[in-house]
Amino acid sequence: MGFRAVLVDRQGLIVDTKESWQGVQAVAKGEHAGVLSDALAPWRSKHGSLRVVAAGMIGSRNGWLEMPYVPTPATAADFAAASRTIELPEGDRLMFLPGLTDPSAFPFPDVMRGEETQLVGFGLEQDIVVVLPGTHSKWADIRHGRIERFRTFVTGEIFNTLANHSFLSKVATAEADHASAAFAEGIALARDESGRAGGQLTRLFAVRTGWLAGKITPEEMKSRLSGLIVGWEFAEARAGGWFTEGDTIAVVGDDDLVEVYEAVSKAFGVNLAPAPADAAIRGALAISEYDLRSRGQEDSGRSYQRA
Amino acid sequence: MGFRAVLVDRQGLIVDTKESWQGVQAVAKGEHAGVLSDALAPWRSKHGSLRVVAAGMIGSRNGWLEMPYVPTPATAADFAAASRTIELPEGDRLMFLPGLTDPSAFPFPDVMRGEETQLVGFGLEQDIVVVLPGTHSKWADIRHGRIERFRTFVTGEIFNTLANHSFLSKVATAEADHASAAFAEGIALARDESGRAGGQLTRLFAVRTGWLAGKITPEEMKSRLSGLIVGWEFAEARAGGWFTEGDTIAVVGDDDLVEVYEAVSKAFGVNLAPAPADAAIRGALAISEYDLRSRGQEDSGRSYQRA
């Protein structure tokens, strides 16, 4: 995950964006203020001092400063109350958002940083299950206007490590193609509840045995693996009661994974509620406005940043 | 997996061994005979021409020559019948053993290369389930004097890729300690059938959340992961009907993994049948003797090799 900053106007419309592959962990302790100040200088010179909202790993143990986790169930007001605002030398105001923890998880509390802001931006009005795809994918239960509970699935981590460092990585010749038949076949294998395919540790080996049997080409291997692994997440979510066939869920995110997860949702017989692509920005603004209203302050120019 | 050769006498007792981390895939096509000849030269000069048995990946697509897979159910005689013997320039005789395939696996036939020789060496007389730990761990069903069926679990692959290339690898400071409480806790979490811990993709994240919660130290992370992942294999094997509590199984292998798998077996309430540490050698000799008897030839000096 890299650094990403979005400049929005008073109406929340995007004016400009900045992205860098250099994530927050690449910045040494004590140097965050300088890096941020340099990154925002062009915007500041044009628009004056900025109101910055910071969400995600920048508020983690390895980030600028470690923000607390708000416990579930939580609302936008809870995030605003637990945020922390500092004034920067150039006059910018920087608001760090807290993370979210679910103390009901066993054996240890589950955690998220950044996805809670996307959930607020998606909206907490309707009761619905929201999936936030990623390296550490999250399933969240929105209920009674709050984020009620959530669980993490390390799907992206498993896919990336197997695709790049396992028995496949020497044979596979192409990246995953989510429009391919091999991807759909991977999903179908993950969905199989008959037991004939064995558990997941056995199904994963079938990417290799299919190649040995001449049924999967080196081009298809990562597509097949991707379908199998994202499908596995859905199979575990189904077993855990997160959905049953015919339910409506939402997939929230701002990258290609949203399409992938929507395809898998359909393959599992799940309907999709519409979701905005800019949920993170909407969430940051909503929490920032809560904070401003509760302090009785007026809004000025602002930007949203995450790392 | 590297190259390993063992020189045994007419009684099957080990006279000498050679090991190299350079596996068969590191040798270019056409160069295998030269590499083997050089490796065996000291033995040949002392003992005369050798009878060599080659098992494992040396008979694979990426090895010296691709040997067929014998289908289950299979006996030592079936492996002897499908073997192939060539004469080398220096007078050594080299016997390649076939692999084993289980055509009943879904969606593709399962395969092993090398483990079938260990199974023959363990013995096919008693009806028992045998576990062969490894990167691609195998569970085999010995019945009616034959290898009846088997399944692969990619346990070692998952452990190695996550331990070395995931969210853990930057934090964890020590290799897995299989005598530690953290290892036992990992097994216990894998064994939990209540559903409260979620599926495996969620349980894996608990290695990170436990660290964030201050309940798992960086030293303990890989131990915890190891218990969780090997325990996961047993949980899937249990779900697949490979054992139930109180059963007796055997763990066959020649490295530290045997102890690890024996510890996990006990934690799952499984009894252990005794197994020899030299099952691979015993199996190679047994198949070689079958072959010699069926050809009516007399045995001379011999060595066993796998790569």
Side-chain angles (χ1 to χ4, degrees):
Chain A
M1 210 167 350
F3 168 91
R4 187 171 163 212
V6 183
L7 180 69
V8 295
D9 66 15
R10 284 158 206 271
Q11 282 71 47
L13 295 172
I14 295 174
V15 178
D16 197 10
T17 62
K18 282 184 191 302
E19 287 193 58
S20 158
W21 286 111
Q22 189 190 36
V24 68
Q25 300 204 27
V27 179
K29 285 278 177 199
E31 293 180 8
H32 292 93
V35 169
L36 181 66
S37 177
D38 289 352
L40 300 184
W43 292 350
R44 192 186 306 109
S45 69
K46 192 165 176 191
H47 302 282
S49 68
L50 303 159
R51 181 172 299 280
V52 185
V53 182
M57 296 310 283
I58 196 165
S60 74
R61 193 174 293 182
N62 298 317
W64 185 328
L65 54 81
E66 189 171 2
M67 291 294 293
Y69 293 102
V70 170
T72 54
T75 65
D78 296 324
F79 297 123
S83 70
R84 181 171 157 196
T85 300
I86 61 175
E87 188 134 354
L88 297 177
E90 292 86 354
D92 302 329
R93 286 174 59 84
L94 173 57
M95 178 192 201
F96 290 96
L97 299 187
L100 180 66
T101 184
D102 184 340
S104 76
F106 177 86
F108 307 114
D110 209 334
V111 292
M112 60 167 65
R113 281 205 186 275
E115 294 92 345
E116 72 296 325
T117 306
Q118 292 176 286
L119 288 168
V120 169
F122 169 77
L124 307 182
E125 298 75 28
Q126 56 181 325
D127 290 1
I128 191 168
V129 165
V130 179
V131 185
L132 303 123
T135 308
H136 299 156
S137 184
K138 313 285 182 185
W139 288 64
D141 193 4
I142 309 291
R143 204 177 302 190
H144 313 309
R146 311 184 297 189
I147 306 170
E148 197 71 23
R149 59 186 286 270
F150 71 89
R151 285 298 177 276
T152 300
F153 298 70
V154 295
T155 314
E157 193 93 42
I158 296 272
F159 176 76
N160 290 330
T161 54
L162 287 183
N164 298 317
H165 303 286
S166 78
F167 58 94
L168 299 172
S169 53
K170 285 179 209 123
V171 177
T173 55
E175 295 307 308
D177 170 6
H178 298 106
S180 67
F183 176 67
E185 286 161 12
I187 299 172
L189 183 58
R191 211 176 43 203
D192 190 294
E193 292 182 276
S194 69
R196 62 187 170 165
Q200 193 61 29
L201 290 170
T202 298
R203 293 179 199 210
L204 286 168
F205 195 57
V207 181
R208 181 176 173 82
T209 55
W211 168 66
L212 287 169
K215 306 285 187 183
I216 301 177
T217 67
E219 289 73 29
E220 292 171 329
M221 289 176 95
K222 287 192 186 179
S223 298
R224 179 115 185 168
L225 183 73
S226 176
L228 183 57
I229 289 181
V230 181
W232 172 19
E233 175 179 333
F234 276 73
E236 289 199 351
R238 181 178 59 189
W242 284 94
F243 71 87
T244 54
E245 211 178 311
D247 282 357
T248 298
I249 68 170
V251 178
V252 171
D254 54 12
D255 59 23
D256 298 345
L257 278 177
V258 171
E259 265 181 66
V260 176
Y261 273 64
E262 288 182 343
V264 179
S265 299
K266 286 173 193 161
F268 274 79
V270 170
N271 304 310
L272 291 164
D278 60 347
I281 296 166
R282 290 174 187 232
L285 292 178
I287 297 168
S288 165
E289 273 154 28
Y290 248 103
D291 185 55
L292 292 167
R293 280 207 300 275
S294 68
R295 293 170 203 248
Q297 292 170 349
E298 202 188 317
D299 192 12
S300 67
R302 60 203 165 180
S303 77
Y304 159 73
Q305 183 233 335
R306 82 170 178 189
Chain B
M1 212 169 343
F3 167 91
R4 186 172 163 213
V6 183
L7 179 69
V8 295
D9 64 16
R10 283 159 206 272
Q11 281 71 47
L13 294 173
I14 296 174
V15 178
D16 197 10
T17 62
K18 284 186 189 299
E19 288 194 57
S20 156
W21 285 110
Q22 189 190 35
V24 69
Q25 301 203 27
V27 179
K29 285 276 179 204
E31 294 182 6
H32 292 93
V35 169
L36 181 66
S37 177
D38 290 352
L40 301 183
W43 292 350
R44 191 185 308 109
S45 69
K46 192 165 175 189
H47 302 282
S49 69
L50 303 159
R51 181 172 300 281
V52 185
V53 183
M57 298 310 283
I58 196 162
S60 74
R61 194 173 293 183
N62 298 316
W64 185 328
L65 55 80
E66 189 172 1
M67 290 295 293
Y69 294 102
V70 170
T72 54
T75 64
D78 296 325
F79 297 124
S83 70
R84 180 171 157 196
T85 299
I86 61 175
E87 188 135 354
L88 297 178
E90 291 86 355
D92 301 330
R93 287 175 58 85
L94 173 57
M95 178 192 200
F96 290 95
L97 300 187
L100 180 67
T101 183
D102 184 341
S104 75
F106 177 87
F108 306 115
D110 209 333
V111 292
M112 59 167 68
R113 279 204 188 276
E115 295 92 344
E116 72 296 324
T117 306
Q118 293 177 285
L119 288 168
V120 169
F122 170 76
L124 307 182
E125 297 75 28
Q126 58 180 323
D127 290 2
I128 191 168
V129 166
V130 179
V131 185
L132 302 123
T135 307
H136 299 157
S137 184
K138 313 286 181 185
W139 288 63
D141 193 3
I142 309 292
R143 203 178 303 191
H144 312 310
R146 312 184 298 190
I147 305 170
E148 197 70 25
R149 58 187 284 270
F150 71 89
R151 285 297 177 276
T152 300
F153 297 72
V154 297
T155 315
E157 193 94 42
I158 297 271
F159 176 76
N160 290 330
T161 54
L162 288 182
N164 298 317
H165 303 286
S166 78
F167 58 95
L168 299 172
S169 53
K170 284 180 208 122
V171 178
T173 55
E175 294 309 308
D177 170 6
H178 299 106
S180 67
F183 177 67
E185 286 162 12
I187 299 171
L189 183 58
R191 212 176 41 205
D192 190 296
E193 293 183 276
S194 70
R196 62 189 171 165
Q200 193 60 28
L201 290 169
T202 299
R203 293 179 199 210
L204 286 168
F205 194 57
V207 180
R208 181 176 172 84
T209 55
W211 168 67
L212 287 168
K215 306 285 187 183
I216 300 176
T217 67
E219 288 74 29
E220 291 171 329
M221 290 177 94
K222 288 193 185 177
S223 298
R224 180 120 184 161
L225 183 72
S226 176
L228 183 57
I229 289 182
V230 181
W232 172 19
E233 175 179 332
F234 276 73
E236 289 199 350
R238 182 177 58 189
W242 285 94
F243 72 87
T244 54
E245 212 178 308
D247 282 358
T248 298
I249 67 170
V251 178
V252 171
D254 54 11
D255 60 21
D256 298 346
L257 278 177
V258 172
E259 262 182 68
V260 175
Y261 273 64
E262 288 183 342
V264 178
S265 299
K266 286 174 194 162
F268 274 79
V270 170
N271 304 310
L272 290 164
D278 61 347
I281 296 167
R282 290 175 186 231
L285 292 179
I287 298 168
S288 166
E289 274 155 27
Y290 248 102
D291 186 52
L292 291 169
R293 281 207 299 273
S294 68
R295 294 172 200 246
Q297 292 170 349
E298 201 188 318
D299 193 10
S300 67
R302 55 204 171 182
S303 79
Y304 160 74
Q305 183 233 336
R306 80 168 181 194

